[in-house]
Amino acid sequence: MSLPATVIPLPQPVLLPVEGTAELFPVRRVYCVGRNYAEHAIEMGHDPSREPPFFFQKNADNLLPAGRDFPYPPLSSDVHFEVECVLALKAGGQDLPVDRALDCIYGYAVGIDFTRRDLQAEAKKLGRPWEVAKAFEYSAPVSPIVPASKLGHPLGGRIWLELNGKRAQDGDLNQMIWKVPEIIAELSKLFILAPGDVIMTGTPAGVGAVKKGDRVDCGIDGIATLSVKVA
Ligand SMILES: CC(=O)CC(=O)C(=O)O
């Protein structure tokens, strides 16, 4: 089928590499879970027993495929790393039951939710949205996606991040407050999920600032690793 003529060039699709194949994963939306690990909620000054996790979004074209440097963004002097387990969906729907949620997952990756913490603090103080802190250019480096057909659906696994070779974040996927099927079910109450959606599932404790020249290595044991230079 040929595409209709457009008045401006068509935006480029966002395509992520898939481990073990030359075929690519096309991205539709990027959802993120906030404060999904109790110790991270506490380090950010919140009580996880009183406030459940919540959602926010990044833009699809904020994803930065592996192998590229992360350019330090403008208008911030406090950019933080947050390592996360990333889900890539092959199916979606609305009001999905928890026991069908895993069927929606195409694969898993490790990613970083870079955050302009100073702008986030200001937004929180003023009751404003978080996009300026979260949804900026190149703010989400992500490893190649590993298909669940090869991996299965990991319930646990060490998730870690090293800054210049020193371990900063060290958690386990089994520490998530909302587990992966619950995240998908909760999100599908709010939005119609679809193939191509990507979900960043929250970060464990130990977040911290980067500066130009830093090297960030992160991974989820048994799933993927990712190395990013801050340029
Ligand atoms: C406090 C945050 O930046 C929220 C977030 O991204 C997370 O908890 O993960």
Side-chain angles (χ1 to χ4, degrees):
M1 192 181 74
S2 67
L3 291 168
T6 56
V7 293
I8 58 167
L10 278 175
Q12 292 295 308
V14 176
L15 303 168
L16 294 177
V18 175
E19 194 68 52
T21 170
E23 290 180 327
L24 300 168
F25 180 90
V27 181
R28 191 182 82 115
R29 296 183 183 164
V30 180
Y31 297 104
C32 306
V33 186
R35 295 183 209 135
N36 199 26
Y37 290 75
E39 283 181 31
H40 172 61
I42 292 165
E43 78 179 344
M44 298 305 296
H46 297 269
D47 178 353
S49 66
R50 294 166 66 93
E51 292 176 68
F54 55 89
F55 297 108
F56 58 92
Q57 281 177 259
K58 288 184 184 261
N59 301 300
D61 64 355
N62 297 153
L63 293 170
L64 181 70
R68 291 176 50 188
D69 291 351
F70 166 66
Y72 197 95
L75 297 178
S76 178
S77 55
D78 194 22
V79 175
H80 277 206
F81 52 78
E82 300 186 358
V83 65
E84 311 219 351
C85 177
V86 178
L87 316 176
L89 301 195
K90 64 178 179 188
Q94 220 170 353
D95 293 323
L96 295 165
V98 171
D99 62 4
R100 277 192 37 221
L102 288 181
D103 297 341
C104 296
I105 298 178
Y106 172 76
Y108 294 80
V110 64
I112 305 172
D113 167 16
F114 275 116
T115 302
R116 290 196 275 214
R117 194 71 78 204
D118 39 7
L119 300 194
Q120 186 189 39
E122 194 184 4
K124 283 183 191 171
K125 196 169 69 191
L126 298 172
R128 290 184 180 160
W130 280 12
E131 280 85 356
V132 294
K134 291 288 193 180
F136 57 92
E137 314 313 326
Y138 318 113
S139 60
V142 62
S143 74
I145 296 167
V146 185
S149 56
K150 293 204 177 119
L151 188 68
H153 294 286
L155 298 172
R158 197 164 194 182
I159 177 166
W160 54 270
L161 180 144
E162 290 178 0
L163 180 64
N164 301 320
K166 200 164 165 239
R167 188 122 332 182
Q169 291 189 269
D170 202 354
D172 197 290
L173 299 185
N174 66 18
Q175 296 166 335
M176 285 187 202
I177 297 171
W178 282 346
K179 309 297 180 202
V180 164
E182 292 164 333
I183 291 171
I184 293 171
E186 285 295 321
L187 200 50
S188 77
K189 293 178 190 166
L190 291 160
F191 302 99
I192 302 175
L193 299 179
D197 287 347
V198 164
I199 306 174
M200 303 188 72
T201 56
T203 196
V207 300
V210 293
K211 57 182 183 336
K212 283 183 190 176
D214 281 347
R215 181 192 165 94
V216 182
D217 299 294
C218 60
I220 304 170
D221 290 355
I223 300 183
T225 58
L226 174 69
S227 295
V228 182
K229 189 165 171 253
V230 183

